[in-house]
C-alpha cells in the first residue's frame, strides 16, 4: 500500500511497469529501510510479479529486501519452484542464517535444481 495525501492506496496491476522501472533508482539512491518499504509495495501485485521484483533485488544482491518478499509468498503459489528455494537459500546464506539456508538449498536440490553451486554452499 502506498500512502498518498494521508490515505492508504493499493497499487493496481497497471502500476507494475512503473514500479519496476523505479526499482533501480530506489536501490541506488535510497536507504536500506526505504528500499524495504518500497519492496513491500510489490506485495500489491500478483505473486509472479512480486517474484520478479524479488528476483531483481536478488540480482542486485539486496538480500534483505529480496528475502522479505520471498518470505511472503504462499507455499502453494506457482512461483515456489526450485529457483525460488535456491534464491531464498542464497539470501539466507548471505544474511548468516546458515541452518535455514541449508534447508532451502536442500529443498531446491531435492526438487531438481540445476544450480551447480548448491553442493559448495551446503559444504560451507
Amino acid at each position: 500500500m502506498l500512502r498518498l495525501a494521508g490515505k492508504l492506496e493499493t497499487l493496481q496491476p497497471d502500476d507494475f511497469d512503473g514500479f519496476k522501472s523505479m526499482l533501480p533508482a530506489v536501490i541506488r539512491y535510497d536507504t536500506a529501510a526505504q528500499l524495504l518499504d518500497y519492496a513491500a509495495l510489490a506485495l500489491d501485485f500478483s505473486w509472479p510479479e512480486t517474484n520478479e521484483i524479488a528476483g531483481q533485488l536478488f540480482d542486485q544482491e539486496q538480500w534483505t529486501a529480496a528475502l522479505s518478499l520471498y518470505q511472503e509468498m504462499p507455499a502453494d503459489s506457482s512461483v515456489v519452484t526450485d529457483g525460488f528455494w535456491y534464491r531464498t537459500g542464497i539470501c539466507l546464506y548471505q544474511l548468516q542464517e546458515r541452518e535455514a539456508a541449508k534447508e532451502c538449498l536442500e529443498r531446491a536440490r531435492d526438487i531438481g535444481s540445476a544450480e551447480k553451486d548448491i553442493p559448495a554452499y551446503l559444504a560451507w
Side-chain angles (χ1 to χ4, degrees):
M1 288 193 206
L2 182 61
R3 186 172 296 277
L4 296 173
K7 298 187 304 184
L8 289 178
E9 298 290 333
T10 302
L11 295 175
Q12 301 302 310
D14 60 343
D15 295 327
F16 181 71
D17 288 336
F19 179 89
K20 187 170 66 169
S21 69
M22 285 296 299
L23 185 59
V26 175
I27 290 170
R28 183 175 174 123
Y29 298 111
D30 287 359
T31 66
Q34 290 168 319
L35 177 57
L36 275 173
D37 288 343
Y38 191 77
L41 296 173
L43 297 171
D44 285 344
F45 300 117
S46 69
W47 292 123
E49 290 169 325
T50 300
N51 190 52
E52 183 178 339
I53 297 300
Q56 287 185 317
L57 292 164
F58 178 89
D59 291 344
Q60 294 298 310
E61 299 181 356
Q62 298 298 318
W63 312 119
T64 301
L67 183 62
S68 73
L69 296 180
Y70 290 135
Q71 289 178 320
E72 294 295 324
M73 295 181 196
D76 63 349
S77 172
S78 64
V79 300
V80 178
T81 63
D82 61 316
F84 164 87
W85 289 113
Y86 173 78
R87 291 185 303 275
T88 302
I90 298 302
C91 288
L92 289 162
Y93 179 86
Q94 295 295 336
L95 296 170
Q96 307 300 310
E97 298 287 340
R98 300 295 164 88
E99 284 303 311
K102 179 182 175 192
E103 290 175 26
C104 291
L105 292 167
E106 285 174 343
R107 183 172 263 177
R109 178 198 62 204
D110 293 347
I111 60 175
S113 177
E115 298 291 340
K116 305 243 184 278
D117 59 353
I118 290 176
Y121 278 109
L122 292 174
W124 290 331

